[in-house]
Amino acid sequence: MGEFKVLEGIDPKLAEAMKSEVRRQRNTLELIPSENFASINVIRALGSVLTNKYSEGYPGKRYYGGNEFVDVVENLAIDRAKALFKVPHVNVQPYSGSPANFAVYAALCKPGDTIMGLNLQDGGHLTHGFSASVTGKFFNSVAYHVKPDGYIDIDEVRRLAVENKPKLIWIGATAYARALPFAEFAKIADEVGAYLVSDIAHIAGLVAGGAHESPVDYVHIVTTTTHKTLRGPRGAMIMVTEKGLKKNPDLGNLIDKTVFPGLQGGPHDNTTAALALALLEASQPQFKEYAKQIVKNAKALGEELSKRGLTLVTGGTDNHLILIDLSKRYGPGTGAFAQDALDLAGIVCNKNTVPAEPASPFYPSGIRIGTPAITSRGMKEEEMGLIAEYIFEAVELIEGHEMPTDKEKRAQAIQTFKEEMKNSPKIKEIAAKVLELCGRFPLYPEIEL
Ligand code: DSN
């Protein structure tokens, strides 16, 4: 792939920014659990002439002419998703996860209806009814929580469902390190007559690869993004299960009508093509190995971090993700310090709230890390030992740095800490080791800079 050579001549500023991003991805350890590296072929399909086409409608029922090949592409994506996730109906057109989830609301609920989802600060997603999202404004949102041990509080879910009789219950998360309890949620949803919708955006690749139980037998609808553990392009799907069709035989049609013309215009056909390819990749035996390795790596990384004295929410992980509670060892609100120290060492993660957050959502007490992207590079348990050591060495540098509660003092404290870290010989030493490790696991060798 020599396209930067061409782009440099046309738009050197853009070419340089894009080349720098390739270098950044190659030379850092990407630990944000919702990110991944799509295969070079998925990226090639994404950068295709399919971006030129308008295809409002669905295969065989389009509003514009010239869609005979787009129909083939979209049918490939649909058929592969149906086979991979074992569902009778799939819509591959949602632009991303939030629009997919909003389409589910629009199909099933009226404004003001009661819905339930995991509280954002306990690991839930914005679109599961958080107050700042329209899903928390248009609907009567009742949040459930995790217990002090970090596990979802099923007793509270049951109590709230019986009390509030929600129309829709979400089971899904963005910062939950344990297996999602689909069977328990199904019992509760069935008891109160609610639609149960699983948002498997984070774990879709694990489900596809058999490394996490599938929600398909328990829920009515499954939504997912396609670019996280699934390693596809940035997009989303809505899947209707047999159980969903039993509850409402028109559910597939209802979802389709809500996505288009209800909420969206033309689908992004280049994304659909890349998704069709990603789904083919995810149906190969190697993908099962990949999904299992993501979990093995997360478990190994978690154990190595625990051994060094860091506190993991729930004490470990069942999936691709680890949530580290820094409050006990370094004080409340220190997640931002940890994120900055790690960033400067070439380790990319995000600060995150922890259950019963003692600080604030903007200055939380934890960091969230995950193994999908480093596993895509081919790293295994041996490398997890090294990475745990690098994380620990960097995080230890926040010792003695308190996060003030006053807003202005806080901004100053973060600035001072960053300056200190920029000049820290220890950070430079870790960054050199990170660079060496990344060099041993080349990323996108096909891309010439
Ligand atoms: N932004 C995603 C995540 O990081 O989990 C969720 O939408």
Side-chain angles (χ1 to χ4, degrees):
M1 285 181 72
E3 62 267 42
F4 285 122
K5 298 273 166 286
V6 177
L7 195 59
E8 265 163 17
I10 304 164
D11 189 342
K13 279 190 188 156
L14 178 64
E16 194 44 45
M18 290 174 71
K19 281 165 63 179
S20 296
E21 177 59 13
V22 175
R23 286 187 205 104
R24 189 195 68 80
Q25 292 190 14
R26 280 180 178 163
N27 297 336
T28 57
L29 288 170
E30 181 50 75
L31 295 185
I32 293 176
S34 49
E35 293 188 14
N36 207 340
F37 301 121
S39 75
I40 192 70
N41 292 321
V42 165
I43 290 172
R44 284 179 176 132
L46 204 49
S48 63
V49 297
L50 276 91
T51 194
N52 297 334
K53 192 71 196 97
Y54 256 124
S55 320
E56 285 98 331
Y58 290 98
K61 293 168 280 185
R62 306 284 185 184
Y63 284 78
Y64 298 175
N67 272 303
E68 57 271 39
F69 305 115
V70 165
D71 279 4
V72 175
V73 168
E74 189 166 333
N75 276 328
L76 279 175
I78 291 170
D79 290 345
R80 288 172 183 172
K82 280 185 185 172
L84 187 62
F85 289 97
K86 302 185 178 62
V87 287
H89 184 91
V90 181
N91 187 305
V92 295
Q93 295 193 5
Y95 298 145
S96 204
S98 297
N101 287 352
F102 200 71
V104 171
Y105 285 107
L108 303 182
C109 302
K110 289 193 199 59
D113 277 353
T114 298
I115 61 106
M116 279 177 57
L118 178 60
N119 187 40
L120 184 82
Q121 285 167 37
D122 290 49
H125 190 252
L126 280 168
T127 59
H128 299 177
F130 185 58
S131 56
S133 150
V134 292
T135 64
K137 296 185 202 296
F138 291 1
F139 306 103
N140 173 37
S141 170
V142 176
Y144 56 86
H145 302 84
V146 296
K147 295 177 290 180
D149 65 4
Y151 284 80
I152 290 175
D153 188 344
I154 293 287
D155 291 337
E156 187 201 32
V157 176
R158 182 171 296 104
R159 182 175 57 74
L160 292 174
V162 169
E163 272 171 29
N164 295 283
K165 299 268 175 303
K167 190 80 176 277
L168 183 170
I169 301 176
W170 288 100
I171 167 77
T174 63
Y176 190 65
R178 293 298 177 179
L180 293 173
F182 299 127
E184 283 100 323
F185 268 72
K187 236 172 128 210
I188 297 168
D190 291 346
E191 251 170 65
V192 302
Y195 276 103
L196 184 59
V197 185
S198 184
D199 178 346
I200 60 165
H202 263 256
I203 56 165
L206 304 185
V207 171
H212 188 294
E213 187 185 20
S214 167
V216 160
D217 290 340
Y218 302 105
V219 308
H220 304 103
I221 293 177
V222 179
T223 65
T224 185
T225 51
T226 47
H227 48 275
K228 297 186 174 95
T229 46
L230 196 57
R231 289 195 72 196
R234 195 157 285 266
M237 301 190 283
I238 304 174
M239 304 183 252
V240 178
T241 65
E242 294 287 359
K243 185 174 173 177
L245 290 181
K246 224 166 160 187
K247 186 171 168 72
N248 178 354
D250 198 38
L251 202 50
N253 188 31
L254 191 59
I255 289 292
D256 287 352
K257 275 196 316 205
T258 311
V259 172
F260 173 83
L263 286 170
Q264 296 190 173
H268 296 175
D269 299 321
N270 55 323
T271 303
T272 311
L275 174 58
L277 180 59
L279 290 164
L280 178 70
E281 290 177 354
S283 65
Q284 305 303 309
Q286 308 88 284
F287 195 86
K288 279 200 171 58
E289 290 310 309
Y290 167 65
K292 286 200 187 95
Q293 192 64 47
I294 290 178
V295 178
K296 280 193 215 164
N297 282 352
K299 282 185 190 291
L301 186 56
E303 279 161 23
E304 292 289 336
L305 291 167
S306 290
K307 260 197 239 164
R308 288 165 173 81
L310 295 181
T311 305
L312 310 190
V313 174
T314 74
T317 181
D318 295 330
N319 56 29
H320 62 301
L321 179 150
I322 298 161
L323 190 55
I324 305 174
D325 183 347
L326 303 165
S327 65
K328 306 210 171 43
R329 195 176 169 100
Y330 306 107
T334 45
F337 290 144
Q339 180 183 309
D340 284 344
L342 288 164
D343 214 24
L344 289 164
I347 300 172
V348 188
C349 72
N350 67 278
K351 59 182 190 284
N352 214 94
T353 51
V354 294
E357 175 58 58
S360 89
F362 301 106
Y363 294 93
S365 302
I367 48 170
R368 187 184 70 148
I369 60 176
T371 52
I374 51 175
T375 307
S376 292
R377 290 183 86 148
M379 295 183 191
K380 296 224 165 90
E381 287 91 328
E382 196 184 326
E383 286 74 39
M384 298 307 119
L386 297 174
I387 294 171
E389 183 55 25
Y390 305 158
I391 292 173
F392 182 68
E393 286 177 2
V395 168
E396 274 286 273
L397 297 172
I398 70 180
E399 179 81 65
H401 292 267
E402 257 177 53
M403 185 60 81
T405 44
D406 176 81
K407 213 172 156 190
E408 271 168 33
K409 284 193 190 140
R410 205 160 48 198
Q412 187 54 51
I414 290 175
Q415 197 50 38
T416 310
F417 178 76
K418 255 196 196 160
E419 288 308 315
E420 194 183 309
M421 290 302 109
K422 273 186 199 154
N423 298 316
S424 159
K426 187 72 195 169
I427 287 287
K428 290 196 175 82
E429 184 194 313
I430 305 166
K433 290 189 280 192
V434 165
L435 196 60
E436 187 276 330
L437 177 59
C438 290
R440 288 199 280 122
F441 294 87
L443 183 66
Y444 300 129
E446 304 84 351
I447 300 178
E448 289 164 32
L449 296 184

